[in-house]
Amino acid sequence: MAGDEPQVSIGNVSGSTFAIGSHAHAESHHHGAGADRADEELLAAVRELRADLERVRGTEQTAALGAALAETEEEITSTGQAGPTRRQRLRELLTDSQALLNVLASAGALAGLLGI
């Protein structure tokens, strides 16, 4: 490499579009982190249940559910959707928290959106 050639360093390129070379062409079709209608409803239900969990006496189950809800909220807000693995984890936690479903309407609403 000659001493007068520019040096290029590429870091994290997620969500980026670029092309390199004299005839390179880059075209971007990013749809942003916007959620579709189903994921918007899921996000609203996740947030409502998180708020409701703050009002109940904490247990290991509610702590695990709260952590999973926080992760789901982060995933939806950053990617626009909750992946199948994340949804399955919430289903499992909600099924394990059946008594909670009977007490909190928000838990029932989220369970319904997840097909429980």
Side-chain angles (χ1 to χ4, degrees):
M1 182 162 130
D4 60 342
E5 289 185 24
Q7 293 183 1
V8 176
S9 175
I10 299 175
N12 182 350
V13 296
S14 63
S16 301
T17 303
F18 60 92
I20 299 172
S22 62
H23 298 294
H25 171 76
E27 189 170 324
S28 178
H29 296 281
H30 297 287
H31 298 289
D36 69 13
R37 181 76 178 139
D39 284 304
E40 288 174 2
E41 289 176 1
L42 182 63
L43 179 59
V46 163
R47 287 177 171 162
E48 185 174 349
L49 180 51
R50 283 189 74 197
D52 284 347
L53 282 179
E54 291 179 18
R55 293 185 279 275
V56 299
R57 187 177 67 204
T59 65
E60 287 182 32
Q61 287 178 319
T62 60
L65 180 57
L69 290 168
E71 292 166 359
T72 302
E73 183 175 352
E74 172 63 28
E75 184 174 349
I76 295 172
T77 56
S78 65
T79 69
Q81 63 183 351
T85 304
R86 180 85 53 213
R87 290 171 182 260
Q88 182 58 37
R89 178 70 178 137
L90 285 176
R91 282 186 199 98
E92 292 167 0
L93 289 168
L94 286 170
T95 299
D96 289 346
S97 302
Q98 194 63 41
L100 187 63
L101 293 175
N102 295 331
V103 173
L104 298 175
S106 58
L110 180 58
L113 290 170
L114 292 169
I116 297 177

XYZ file of all heavy atoms in Angstrom:
839
model
N 0.856 -1.172 0.000
C 0.000 0.000 0.000
C 0.903 1.237 0.000
O 1.789 1.388 0.820
C -0.895 -0.015 1.240
C -1.841 1.134 1.312
S -3.160 0.736 2.471
C -3.151 2.170 3.459
N 0.658 2.113 -0.913
C 1.465 3.334 -1.034
C 1.155 4.276 0.125
O 0.047 4.300 0.641
C 1.182 4.029 -2.363
N 2.124 5.094 0.502
C 1.965 6.009 1.616
C 0.960 7.112 1.372
O 0.441 7.703 2.302
N 0.635 7.424 0.103
C -0.287 8.516 -0.183
C -1.729 8.045 -0.381
O -2.608 8.840 -0.655
C 0.184 9.297 -1.415
C 0.271 8.420 -2.663
O 0.305 7.183 -2.511
O 0.301 8.984 -3.762
N -1.991 6.748 -0.247
C -3.361 6.248 -0.393
C -4.142 6.519 0.889
O -3.611 6.379 1.991
C -3.352 4.751 -0.682
C -2.847 4.435 -2.066
C -2.959 2.956 -2.367
O -3.800 2.272 -1.745
O -2.217 2.488 -3.229
N -5.414 6.906 0.748
C -6.220 7.178 1.943
C -6.501 5.880 2.691
O -6.582 4.818 2.098
C -7.502 7.786 1.387
C -7.573 7.338 -0.021
C -6.156 7.125 -0.482
N -6.634 6.012 3.975
C -7.001 4.870 4.799
C -8.478 4.978 5.135
O -8.963 6.060 5.450
C -6.179 4.840 6.074
C -4.724 4.574 5.819
C -3.946 4.476 7.126
O -4.496 4.589 8.209
N -2.655 4.258 7.000
N -9.167 3.862 5.065
C -10.597 3.831 5.347
C -10.853 2.832 6.461
O -10.313 1.731 6.447
C -11.398 3.418 4.086
C -12.871 3.303 4.409
C -11.163 4.398 2.964
N -11.673 3.221 7.392
C -12.075 2.336 8.481
C -13.594 2.313 8.514
O -14.238 3.355 8.531
C -11.521 2.863 9.805
O -12.013 2.078 10.861
N -14.154 1.122 8.497
C -15.612 0.982 8.527
C -15.995 0.305 9.828
O -15.555 -0.796 10.107
C -16.122 0.164 7.323
C -15.749 0.872 6.020
C -17.624 -0.045 7.425
C -16.086 0.099 4.776
N -16.811 0.983 10.595
C -17.285 0.434 11.873
C -18.618 -0.264 11.672
O -18.844 -0.927 10.665
N -19.511 -0.071 12.599
C -20.843 -0.665 12.536
C -21.624 -0.035 11.389
O -21.789 1.177 11.339
C -21.565 -0.436 13.858
C -22.936 -1.070 13.896
O -23.461 -1.538 12.888
N -23.520 -1.090 15.065
N -22.126 -0.854 10.479
C -22.848 -0.339 9.319
C -24.310 -0.769 9.313
O -24.988 -0.620 8.298
C -22.166 -0.770 7.994
C -20.796 -0.163 7.881
C -22.126 -2.278 7.868
N -24.808 -1.281 10.427
C -26.201 -1.696 10.448
C -27.101 -0.496 10.181
O -26.881 0.589 10.694
C -26.554 -2.339 11.791
O -26.420 -1.415 12.827
N -28.072 -0.677 9.318
C -28.986 0.398 8.960
C -28.402 1.395 7.983
O -28.989 2.441 7.733
N -27.254 1.084 7.398
C -26.580 2.005 6.484
C -26.575 1.453 5.079
O -26.729 0.257 4.855
C -25.124 2.220 6.921
O -25.067 2.730 8.221
N -26.374 2.345 4.134
C -26.224 1.956 2.738
C -25.013 2.671 2.195
O -24.865 3.872 2.373
C -27.471 2.362 1.920
O -28.620 1.761 2.520
C -27.349 1.915 0.483
N -24.127 1.938 1.550
C -22.954 2.563 0.962
C -22.449 1.693 -0.174
O -22.790 0.523 -0.282
C -21.847 2.806 1.994
C -21.340 1.557 2.655
C -20.260 0.868 2.133
C -21.953 1.075 3.800
C -19.792 -0.285 2.738
C -21.487 -0.072 4.411
C -20.406 -0.755 3.886
N -21.667 2.282 -1.039
C -21.059 1.572 -2.157
C -19.613 2.011 -2.257
O -19.271 3.152 -1.955
C -21.799 1.892 -3.448
N -18.770 1.100 -2.695
C -17.346 1.389 -2.798
C -16.891 1.036 -4.215
O -17.253 -0.004 -4.746
C -16.537 0.571 -1.766
C -16.989 0.939 -0.353
C -15.052 0.775 -1.948
C -16.401 0.081 0.736
N -16.122 1.897 -4.811
C -15.583 1.625 -6.144
C -16.022 2.674 -7.141
O -16.996 3.404 -6.928
N -15.305 2.747 -8.265
C -15.561 3.812 -9.237
C -16.927 3.699 -9.910
O -17.508 4.705 -10.302
C -14.459 3.829 -10.304
O -14.451 2.595 -11.007
N -17.479 2.498 -10.050
C -18.789 2.340 -10.700
C -19.829 1.767 -9.731
O -20.843 1.213 -10.163
C -18.663 1.432 -11.918
C -17.754 1.973 -12.971
N -18.045 3.122 -13.675
C -16.546 1.552 -13.407
C -17.063 3.375 -14.508
N -16.123 2.427 -14.367
N -19.565 1.914 -8.458
C -20.468 1.359 -7.448
C -21.768 2.151 -7.396
O -21.812 3.345 -7.682
C -19.789 1.375 -6.087
N -22.812 1.455 -7.026
C -24.133 2.059 -6.915
C -24.773 1.545 -5.617
O -24.767 0.345 -5.371
C -25.003 1.664 -8.109
C -26.431 2.071 -7.968
N -26.854 3.365 -8.142
C -27.533 1.356 -7.664
C -28.166 3.420 -7.955
N -28.596 2.206 -7.657
N -25.295 2.433 -4.827
C -25.981 2.040 -3.597
C -27.406 2.546 -3.641
O -27.669 3.682 -4.022
C -25.261 2.614 -2.384
N -28.309 1.687 -3.267
C -29.720 2.051 -3.234
C -30.283 1.579 -1.910
O -30.059 0.443 -1.511
C -30.450 1.364 -4.395
C -31.859 1.842 -4.573
C -32.461 1.318 -5.862
O -31.753 1.209 -6.872
O -33.661 1.014 -5.820
N -30.995 2.449 -1.243
C -31.501 2.131 0.084
C -33.020 2.069 0.081
O -33.687 2.935 -0.471
C -31.024 3.200 1.074
O -31.547 2.928 2.338
N -33.536 1.042 0.723
C -34.980 0.890 0.884
C -35.286 0.602 2.342
O -36.008 -0.320 2.668
C -35.513 -0.250 0.008
C -35.344 0.008 -1.446
N -36.178 0.827 -2.155
C -34.398 -0.410 -2.311
C -35.773 0.882 -3.415
N -34.684 0.132 -3.535
N -34.707 1.372 3.234
C -34.926 1.172 4.661
C -36.353 1.549 5.004
O -36.862 2.572 4.583
C -33.970 2.029 5.492
C -32.538 1.679 5.278
N -31.981 0.538 5.774
C -31.559 2.314 4.597
C -30.713 0.491 5.424
N -30.438 1.554 4.709
N -36.956 0.693 5.776
C -38.318 0.978 6.218
C -38.322 1.492 7.642
O -39.342 1.584 8.270
C -39.181 -0.280 6.096
C -39.301 -0.749 4.688
N -40.025 -0.076 3.743
C -38.731 -1.788 4.048
C -39.933 -0.700 2.576
N -39.143 -1.736 2.738
N -37.134 1.797 8.150
C -37.025 2.348 9.489
C -37.372 1.330 10.553
O -37.542 0.154 10.306
N -37.460 1.808 11.757
C -37.780 0.929 12.873
C -39.265 0.975 13.181
O -39.693 0.593 14.245
C -36.971 1.342 14.105
N -40.065 1.457 12.235
C -41.496 1.536 12.448
C -42.129 0.163 12.496
O -41.820 -0.702 11.698
N -42.984 -0.042 13.459
C -43.640 -1.327 13.622
C -44.911 -1.373 12.787
O -45.538 -0.354 12.529
C -43.988 -1.538 15.094
N -45.280 -2.584 12.338
C -46.558 -2.711 11.666
C -47.665 -2.685 12.722
O -47.399 -2.631 13.918
C -46.609 -3.961 10.789
C -46.614 -5.268 11.571
O -46.814 -5.254 12.798
O -46.423 -6.318 10.942
N -48.883 -2.717 12.296
C -50.029 -2.551 13.209
C -50.018 -3.595 14.334
O -50.240 -3.267 15.498
C -51.334 -2.623 12.409
C -52.579 -2.444 13.221
C -52.757 -0.990 13.566
N -53.987 -0.841 14.302
C -54.126 -0.068 15.345
N -53.138 0.664 15.760
N -55.255 0.003 15.974
N -49.765 -4.860 13.996
C -49.765 -5.919 15.014
C -48.670 -5.680 16.045
O -48.891 -5.856 17.245
C -49.599 -7.288 14.359
N -47.485 -5.278 15.587
C -46.397 -5.026 16.521
C -46.626 -3.749 17.323
O -46.193 -3.656 18.464
C -45.049 -4.996 15.797
C -44.574 -6.394 15.440
O -44.462 -7.231 16.353
O -44.344 -6.657 14.254
N -47.326 -2.779 16.746
C -47.685 -1.579 17.510
C -48.636 -1.942 18.646
O -48.503 -1.448 19.766
C -48.323 -0.533 16.597
C -47.339 0.137 15.659
C -48.011 1.075 14.670
O -49.251 1.248 14.730
O -47.301 1.626 13.832
N -49.594 -2.820 18.357
C -50.529 -3.268 19.393
C -49.789 -4.071 20.458
O -50.053 -3.919 21.655
C -51.643 -4.113 18.781
C -52.616 -3.318 17.939
C -53.667 -4.196 17.271
O -53.665 -5.432 17.475
O -54.497 -3.642 16.533
N -48.875 -4.920 20.015
C -48.087 -5.706 20.953
C -47.250 -4.787 21.847
O -47.201 -4.973 23.064
C -47.183 -6.689 20.197
C -46.338 -7.623 21.063
C -47.222 -8.544 21.898
C -45.407 -8.441 20.182
N -46.626 -3.781 21.257
C -45.822 -2.831 22.031
C -46.680 -2.116 23.071
O -46.275 -1.968 24.226
C -45.143 -1.819 21.101
C -44.283 -0.755 21.774
C -43.158 -1.381 22.595
C -43.723 0.204 20.729
N -47.863 -1.688 22.685
C -48.749 -1.010 23.634
C -49.135 -1.947 24.781
O -49.138 -1.540 25.949
C -50.002 -0.506 22.916
N -49.418 -3.204 24.459
C -49.787 -4.176 25.493
C -48.604 -4.477 26.406
O -48.767 -4.619 27.625
C -50.308 -5.460 24.844
N -47.419 -4.578 25.840
C -46.206 -4.809 26.631
C -45.998 -3.662 27.605
O -45.736 -3.867 28.793
C -44.981 -4.991 25.699
C -43.676 -4.818 26.462
C -45.025 -6.350 25.017
N -46.133 -2.446 27.125
C -45.942 -1.279 27.990
C -46.992 -1.219 29.091
O -46.686 -0.870 30.236
C -45.963 -0.006 27.153
C -44.703 0.155 26.329
C -44.749 1.359 25.440
N -43.443 1.606 24.828
C -43.258 2.361 23.773
N -44.283 2.980 23.199
N -42.051 2.519 23.281
N -48.228 -1.553 28.759
C -49.297 -1.523 29.760
C -49.054 -2.565 30.844
O -49.198 -2.283 32.039
C -50.651 -1.756 29.090
C -51.813 -1.611 30.053
C -53.166 -1.706 29.376
O -53.240 -1.681 28.134
O -54.150 -1.820 30.115
N -48.651 -3.762 30.443
C -48.390 -4.803 31.433
C -47.167 -4.448 32.282
O -47.160 -4.676 33.492
C -48.199 -6.161 30.759
C -47.928 -7.349 31.699
C -48.960 -7.439 32.819
C -47.870 -8.646 30.905
N -46.140 -3.869 31.677
C -44.973 -3.440 32.465
C -45.397 -2.448 33.542
O -44.946 -2.534 34.689
C -43.919 -2.795 31.570
C -43.108 -3.812 30.785
C -41.954 -3.163 30.082
N -40.912 -2.827 31.065
C -39.926 -1.971 30.816
N -39.849 -1.348 29.666
N -39.021 -1.732 31.732
N -46.249 -1.519 33.183
C -46.723 -0.527 34.159
C -47.534 -1.206 35.258
O -47.384 -0.885 36.440
C -47.553 0.543 33.457
N -48.384 -2.162 34.876
C -49.201 -2.866 35.864
C -48.348 -3.728 36.793
O -48.649 -3.857 37.979
C -50.260 -3.732 35.186
C -51.419 -2.912 34.639
O -51.527 -1.715 34.990
O -52.216 -3.453 33.847
N -47.281 -4.311 36.275
C -46.411 -5.147 37.105
C -45.757 -4.349 38.224
O -45.434 -4.906 39.274
C -45.336 -5.830 36.260
C -45.761 -7.046 35.462
C -44.587 -7.592 34.659
C -46.355 -8.125 36.344
N -45.577 -3.061 38.005
C -44.988 -2.217 39.042
C -45.918 -2.074 40.237
O -45.485 -1.719 41.329
C -44.649 -0.838 38.472
C -43.510 -0.879 37.469
C -43.202 0.500 36.903
O -43.612 1.511 37.502
O -42.548 0.545 35.851
N -47.201 -2.374 40.038
C -48.189 -2.195 41.101
C -48.504 -3.485 41.860
O -49.347 -3.483 42.746
C -49.474 -1.627 40.502
C -49.306 -0.214 39.976
C -50.629 0.365 39.506
N -51.022 -0.054 38.173
C -50.617 0.523 37.046
N -49.783 1.532 37.086
N -51.039 0.102 35.883
N -47.880 -4.596 41.484
C -48.140 -5.855 42.186
C -46.911 -6.266 42.986
O -45.803 -5.828 42.709
C -48.543 -6.989 41.214
C -49.816 -6.648 40.462
C -47.427 -7.326 40.253
N -47.150 -7.111 43.962
C -46.039 -7.612 44.766
C -45.151 -8.491 43.886
O -45.627 -9.400 43.213
C -46.571 -8.418 45.947
C -45.462 -8.816 46.917
C -45.985 -9.549 48.112
N -46.510 -10.832 47.637
C -47.429 -11.540 48.276
N -47.937 -11.103 49.390
N -47.846 -12.684 47.794
N -43.867 -8.209 43.901
C -42.927 -8.910 43.043
C -42.633 -10.326 43.491
O -42.559 -10.608 44.682
N -42.504 -11.204 42.512
C -42.090 -12.584 42.734
C -41.012 -12.892 41.690
O -40.717 -12.066 40.825
C -43.265 -13.561 42.537
O -43.687 -13.514 41.159
C -44.447 -13.228 43.446
N -40.468 -14.087 41.763
C -39.509 -14.498 40.733
C -40.171 -14.495 39.361
O -39.557 -14.101 38.370
C -38.947 -15.884 41.041
C -37.956 -15.911 42.186
C -37.388 -17.300 42.419
O -37.244 -18.071 41.452
O -37.081 -17.610 43.576
N -41.429 -14.933 39.318
C -42.156 -14.983 38.040
C -42.384 -13.585 37.484
O -42.193 -13.357 36.296
C -43.499 -15.693 38.205
C -43.372 -17.189 38.388
C -44.727 -17.833 38.607
O -45.572 -17.299 39.329
N -44.931 -18.974 37.980
N -42.810 -12.658 38.340
C -43.060 -11.309 37.828
C -41.759 -10.620 37.442
O -41.733 -9.833 36.502
C -43.853 -10.444 38.838
O -43.111 -10.339 40.051
C -45.237 -11.022 39.086
N -40.668 -10.928 38.135
C -39.370 -10.359 37.778
C -38.922 -10.872 36.405
O -38.447 -10.094 35.566
C -38.326 -10.688 38.832
N -39.083 -12.169 36.170
C -38.708 -12.747 34.873
C -39.592 -12.176 33.772
O -39.111 -11.835 32.684
C -38.829 -14.270 34.920
N -40.891 -12.051 34.057
C -41.810 -11.481 33.076
C -41.457 -10.022 32.802
O -41.423 -9.590 31.651
C -43.254 -11.617 33.564
C -44.339 -11.070 32.640
C -44.277 -11.709 31.256
C -45.713 -11.285 33.270
N -41.166 -9.269 33.844
C -40.794 -7.864 33.671
C -39.553 -7.702 32.819
O -39.482 -6.827 31.954
N -38.560 -8.553 33.051
C -37.328 -8.493 32.248
C -37.608 -8.827 30.789
O -37.111 -8.152 29.878
C -36.282 -9.445 32.827
N -38.418 -9.845 30.561
C -38.759 -10.224 29.185
C -39.567 -9.126 28.494
O -39.387 -8.874 27.298
C -39.535 -11.543 29.180
N -40.440 -8.478 29.243
C -41.216 -7.375 28.670
C -40.305 -6.212 28.289
O -40.477 -5.605 27.225
C -42.292 -6.910 29.665
C -43.441 -7.885 29.902
C -44.266 -7.435 31.105
C -44.308 -8.032 28.661
N -39.338 -5.906 29.143
C -38.399 -4.822 28.844
C -37.594 -5.149 27.583
O -37.395 -4.284 26.724
C -37.460 -4.597 30.028
N -37.152 -6.391 27.461
C -36.398 -6.812 26.282
C -37.268 -6.751 25.031
O -36.805 -6.354 23.958
C -35.856 -8.222 26.485
C -34.785 -8.309 27.549
C -34.481 -9.739 27.983
O -35.119 -10.691 27.472
O -33.605 -9.899 28.852
N -38.523 -7.138 25.174
C -39.445 -7.095 24.034
C -39.689 -5.661 23.602
O -39.680 -5.356 22.404
C -40.787 -7.774 24.399
O -40.522 -9.118 24.804
C -41.751 -7.759 23.220
N -39.898 -4.771 24.558
C -40.099 -3.354 24.234
C -38.891 -2.805 23.491
O -39.027 -2.117 22.477
C -40.367 -2.546 25.500
C -40.644 -1.080 25.216
C -41.028 -0.296 26.456
O -41.245 -0.881 27.532
O -41.115 0.946 26.332
N -37.708 -3.125 23.972
C -36.473 -2.663 23.326
C -36.369 -3.216 21.900
O -36.015 -2.493 20.973
C -35.257 -3.090 24.154
C -33.926 -2.833 23.486
C -33.633 -1.358 23.235
O -34.137 -0.506 23.981
O -32.897 -1.057 22.271
N -36.690 -4.490 21.735
C -36.604 -5.097 20.403
C -37.579 -4.446 19.425
O -37.224 -4.137 18.289
C -36.865 -6.603 20.478
C -36.707 -7.297 19.150
C -36.811 -8.808 19.234
O -36.807 -9.372 20.351
O -36.892 -9.437 18.171
N -38.796 -4.218 19.865
C -39.793 -3.610 18.972
C -39.411 -2.174 18.641
O -39.510 -1.758 17.483
C -41.212 -3.668 19.587
C -41.670 -5.118 19.709
C -42.196 -2.880 18.711
C -42.976 -5.290 20.483
N -38.966 -1.410 19.625
C -38.632 -0.017 19.350
C -37.374 0.108 18.495
O -37.240 1.073 17.745
C -38.470 0.814 20.641
O -37.486 0.210 21.476
C -39.786 0.919 21.385
N -36.462 -0.852 18.589
C -35.232 -0.748 17.792
C -35.325 -1.410 16.421
O -34.693 -0.952 15.479
C -34.032 -1.309 18.569
O -34.187 -2.687 18.781
N -36.122 -2.484 16.296
C -36.192 -3.195 15.016
C -37.543 -3.082 14.331
O -37.661 -3.411 13.162
C -35.878 -4.690 15.187
O -36.946 -5.319 15.915
C -34.544 -4.907 15.878
N -38.566 -2.663 15.076
C -39.899 -2.564 14.488
C -40.735 -3.807 14.673
O -41.895 -3.840 14.287
N -40.153 -4.838 15.274
C -40.931 -6.061 15.480
C -40.344 -6.891 16.619
O -39.203 -6.716 16.998
C -40.954 -6.900 14.218
C -39.595 -7.395 13.778
C -39.641 -8.167 12.487
O -40.709 -8.475 11.981
N -38.501 -8.482 11.936
N -41.173 -7.788 17.117
C -40.713 -8.762 18.106
C -40.592 -10.085 17.376
O -41.550 -10.558 16.773
C -41.704 -8.871 19.263
N -39.424 -10.664 17.424
C -39.177 -11.919 16.717
C -39.916 -13.094 17.331
O -40.407 -13.025 18.462
N -39.990 -14.194 16.586
C -40.704 -15.385 17.065
C -40.169 -15.935 18.384
O -40.942 -16.369 19.235
C -40.494 -16.406 15.941
C -40.127 -15.610 14.738
C -39.454 -14.372 15.237
N -38.866 -15.911 18.581
C -38.282 -16.412 19.830
C -38.717 -15.561 21.002
O -39.064 -16.078 22.076
C -36.743 -16.436 19.732
O -36.370 -17.219 18.604
C -36.114 -16.994 20.985
N -38.728 -14.255 20.805
C -39.149 -13.339 21.864
C -40.625 -13.568 22.191
O -41.020 -13.613 23.352
C -38.925 -11.902 21.408
C -39.324 -10.876 22.401
C -38.290 -10.534 23.423
N -37.038 -10.164 22.800
C -35.850 -10.426 23.341
N -35.766 -11.021 24.508
N -34.745 -10.080 22.741
N -41.445 -13.701 21.175
C -42.879 -13.941 21.399
C -43.109 -15.253 22.142
O -43.945 -15.332 23.040
C -43.631 -13.947 20.067
C -43.717 -12.575 19.424
C -44.280 -12.685 17.996
N -44.329 -11.402 17.365
C -45.426 -10.653 17.265
N -46.558 -11.079 17.765
N -45.372 -9.484 16.672
N -42.363 -16.285 21.757
C -42.507 -17.582 22.425
C -42.123 -17.485 23.890
O -42.784 -18.049 24.749
C -41.665 -18.652 21.721
C -41.796 -20.035 22.337
C -43.221 -20.555 22.352
O -43.998 -20.330 21.422
N -43.598 -21.246 23.417
N -41.068 -16.756 24.191
C -40.637 -16.576 25.584
C -41.736 -15.892 26.395
O -42.030 -16.290 27.528
C -39.337 -15.755 25.640
C -38.847 -15.470 27.028
C -38.341 -16.720 27.722
N -37.826 -16.368 29.050
C -38.064 -17.068 30.136
N -38.746 -18.179 30.074
N -37.585 -16.673 31.287
N -42.360 -14.873 25.817
C -43.459 -14.202 26.521
C -44.634 -15.155 26.736
O -45.252 -15.152 27.805
C -43.928 -12.968 25.743
C -43.022 -11.750 25.811
C -43.564 -10.647 24.907
C -42.867 -11.249 27.232
N -44.946 -15.966 25.721
C -46.030 -16.949 25.878
C -45.754 -17.872 27.061
O -46.636 -18.143 27.870
C -46.183 -17.781 24.600
C -46.890 -17.101 23.490
C -47.122 -18.071 22.309
N -47.391 -17.305 21.130
C -46.498 -16.989 20.190
N -45.264 -17.438 20.269
N -46.847 -16.249 19.161
N -44.515 -18.380 27.133
C -44.144 -19.289 28.218
C -44.278 -18.607 29.579
O -44.826 -19.197 30.514
C -42.713 -19.783 28.020
C -42.549 -20.699 26.829
C -41.086 -20.923 26.453
O -40.179 -20.373 27.122
O -40.851 -21.647 25.465
N -43.782 -17.386 29.675
C -43.847 -16.673 30.951
C -45.280 -16.345 31.349
O -45.635 -16.423 32.523
C -43.004 -15.401 30.897
C -41.495 -15.641 30.881
C -40.761 -14.352 30.521
C -41.013 -16.191 32.215
N -46.092 -15.990 30.385
C -47.493 -15.684 30.697
C -48.252 -16.944 31.073
O -49.111 -16.912 31.960
C -48.163 -14.980 29.508
C -47.745 -13.530 29.312
C -48.271 -13.010 27.980
C -48.233 -12.658 30.452
N -47.948 -18.051 30.428
C -48.592 -19.316 30.777
C -48.214 -19.712 32.197
O -49.053 -20.177 32.972
C -48.197 -20.418 29.775
O -48.632 -20.029 28.470
C -48.837 -21.745 30.127
N -46.938 -19.523 32.549
C -46.475 -19.817 33.912
C -47.101 -18.874 34.929
O -47.154 -19.200 36.112
C -44.948 -19.697 34.001
C -44.243 -20.820 33.262
O -44.892 -21.824 32.916
O -43.026 -20.674 33.020
N -47.550 -17.721 34.509
C -48.124 -16.711 35.400
C -49.637 -16.661 35.244
O -50.243 -15.602 35.212
C -47.523 -15.340 35.094
O -46.136 -15.368 35.230
N -50.279 -17.816 35.152
C -51.722 -17.882 34.902
C -52.514 -17.086 35.936
O -53.479 -16.419 35.595
C -52.188 -19.340 34.873
C -53.582 -19.511 34.305
C -53.695 -19.074 32.855
O -52.820 -19.328 32.045
N -54.771 -18.407 32.515
N -52.109 -17.122 37.197
C -52.824 -16.353 38.224
C -52.751 -14.870 37.917
O -53.715 -14.132 38.135
C -52.241 -16.644 39.607
N -51.618 -14.427 37.384
C -51.455 -13.019 37.025
C -52.421 -12.641 35.900
O -52.984 -11.546 35.892
C -50.005 -12.767 36.594
C -49.593 -11.337 36.332
C -49.694 -10.515 37.605
C -48.174 -11.301 35.790
N -52.623 -13.563 34.958
C -53.551 -13.298 33.859
C -54.964 -13.055 34.367
O -55.710 -12.262 33.795
C -53.565 -14.469 32.860
C -52.301 -14.702 32.061
C -52.441 -15.964 31.223
C -52.001 -13.513 31.176
N -55.320 -13.747 35.431
C -56.658 -13.589 35.989
C -56.823 -12.275 36.736
O -57.923 -11.765 36.867
C -56.989 -14.762 36.916
C -57.051 -16.070 36.160
O -57.379 -16.110 34.979
N -56.715 -17.148 36.834
N -55.725 -11.726 37.248
C -55.786 -10.505 38.044
C -55.634 -9.253 37.193
O -56.351 -8.274 37.374
C -54.697 -10.533 39.143
C -54.633 -9.214 39.881
C -54.944 -11.676 40.094
N -54.703 -9.265 36.256
C -54.406 -8.072 35.473
C -54.999 -8.172 34.066
O -54.643 -9.056 33.301
C -52.887 -7.866 35.366
C -52.149 -7.626 36.677
C -50.654 -7.553 36.425
C -52.634 -6.345 37.334
N -55.864 -7.251 33.752
C -56.450 -7.220 32.419
C -55.386 -7.030 31.349
O -55.488 -7.583 30.246
C -57.499 -6.124 32.319
N -54.334 -6.268 31.664
C -53.266 -6.026 30.680
C -52.544 -7.321 30.332
O -52.125 -7.502 29.187
C -52.281 -4.980 31.197
O -51.711 -5.396 32.421
N -52.398 -8.225 31.290
C -51.754 -9.501 31.014
C -52.647 -10.328 30.083
O -52.165 -10.980 29.157
C -51.489 -10.262 32.314
N -53.938 -10.270 30.318
C -54.870 -10.982 29.435
C -54.861 -10.418 28.033
O -54.931 -11.172 27.060
N -54.763 -9.092 27.915
C -54.714 -8.470 26.589
C -53.463 -8.887 25.832
O -53.519 -9.215 24.641
C -54.764 -6.941 26.722
N -52.330 -8.897 26.515
C -51.082 -9.313 25.883
C -51.158 -10.789 25.520
O -50.745 -11.170 24.408
C -49.892 -9.050 26.805
C -48.523 -9.451 26.252
C -48.223 -8.743 24.928
C -47.437 -9.152 27.257
N -51.678 -11.609 26.390
C -51.817 -13.042 26.103
C -52.663 -13.255 24.844
O -52.339 -14.077 24.004
C -52.426 -13.758 27.297
N -53.725 -12.480 24.717
C -54.574 -12.589 23.525
C -53.828 -12.234 22.249
O -53.968 -12.893 21.223
N -52.989 -11.204 22.304
C -52.210 -10.816 21.129
C -51.157 -11.850 20.774
O -50.731 -11.939 19.619
C -51.541 -9.451 21.353
C -52.484 -8.259 21.380
C -51.747 -7.003 21.847
C -53.082 -8.028 20.004
N -50.745 -12.634 21.757
C -49.741 -13.676 21.527
C -50.379 -15.028 21.214
O -49.684 -16.009 21.017
C -48.830 -13.812 22.755
C -47.922 -12.608 23.011
C -47.270 -12.727 24.382
C -46.873 -12.480 21.929
N -51.695 -15.070 21.174
C -52.398 -16.298 20.795
C -52.538 -17.315 21.904
O -52.681 -18.501 21.636
N -52.511 -16.862 23.138
C -52.680 -17.803 24.261
C -54.157 -17.929 24.576
O -54.866 -16.993 24.701
C -51.905 -17.329 25.516
C -50.430 -17.289 25.208
C -52.185 -18.226 26.697
C -49.571 -16.768 26.362
